[in-house]
Each structure stands twice: as C-alpha cells, then as structure tokens.
Amino acid sequence: MHLAYPVVLSALLFCTGLYGVLARRNAILILMSVELMLNAVNLNLVAFDVWLSKSAEETLHSGQALTLFTIAIAAAEIGIGLAIVLAVHRSRGTADIDRLRDTAEGHESHEGSAADGPDTDAPAPGAAAEKAEATA
C-alpha cells in the first residue's frame, strides 16, 4: 500500500475538521471537529510508522505510541470540554459561541441594576440593534 492514500485521506479529514472549527457556531460541533482533526493526525502517525518500519529492522513503533497518547489527550479534552459546554448551556441557555463571546465582552444589557437610574419599560435605542446583531 502506498503512503499517499492514508496521507490524502488524513489531509481531507483535517481540512473537514478545520472547516468545522472555523464555520460552526455550536460548541459541541466545534468539539467534534477538533476530534476529527486529532483523528487525522493519528492516521498520519500510524501511516508513517508503518511506512518507516518497512525500512528499519528494529523499530520502536513510536508513531503508534504517540497515537495512544493523542487518544488519551483527546478523551480528556472531550470530557472536560463537554462538561464546560453543559455548564455554560445550563447557566446561559445557549451553546452558541458568538452569543457567549458577546456576553463575555460586556455587550449584554444590565436591566434593573441600581446604576441605571429609574426603572423604565422603554428599551434603549441601541438595544434593538445589538439584539439583531447578536442573532444574525
């Protein structure tokens, strides 16, 4: 088997994962895309390990050992990442990355705070524009 087949497949998997990380807004889909990229790296490690072991008589199979470490790190990453996403979803009600970034930067309105002055039912003029921008 030629080395080009697994390398091309790995490149396609990595590009698909990269597209998922850059284009998606849902945190769970981003975590799945990161896992896809890690699996592409694992495929490359094993493919090059097999390719290099054909030329050497005594090999350490370091590519396969690194793949096991990568799998362990990926399992820990998905466990911690999913716990964080679930905690944020429970507290904020959404797993949308753009909304979470906007609230972290201070774009959310502080309704009913003492510093705002008297309670009024009329929204601020910029509030509708901010809400439309956040949902877009």
Side-chain angles (χ1 to χ4, degrees):
M1 181 178 199
H2 295 292
L3 182 64
Y5 298 133
V7 170
V8 169
L9 179 63
S10 176
L12 289 174
L13 285 174
F14 192 85
C15 289
T16 304
L18 186 64
Y19 173 75
V21 167
L22 296 177
R24 299 292 177 196
R25 294 184 181 183
N26 191 349
I28 294 176
L29 291 177
I30 290 174
L31 286 174
M32 288 174 55
S33 297
V34 169
E35 290 293 322
L36 192 63
M37 290 174 19
L38 287 173
N39 286 330
V41 169
N42 287 340
L43 180 62
N44 258 343
L45 286 172
V46 171
F48 277 101
D49 183 48
V50 169
W51 182 64
L52 290 174
S53 69
K54 288 181 181 178
S55 62
E57 292 178 10
E58 294 182 18
T59 59
L60 296 174
H61 295 290
S62 57
Q64 293 178 13
L66 286 173
T67 299
L68 291 176
F69 284 121
T70 306
I71 289 171
I73 290 171
E77 175 257 335
I78 198 69
I80 293 171
L82 191 59
I84 290 170
V85 168
L86 288 175
V88 167
H89 181 68
R90 285 183 183 168
S91 67
R92 305 281 173 111
T94 184
D96 188 9
I97 298 296
D98 291 336
R99 282 189 176 178
L100 296 176
R101 185 186 62 221
D102 289 343
T103 57
E105 291 175 353
H107 290 288
E108 70 179 341
S109 62
H110 301 285
E111 297 177 12
S113 65
D116 290 336
D119 291 329
T120 59
D121 292 332
E130 283 184 19
K131 187 174 182 180
E133 180 180 315
T135 57

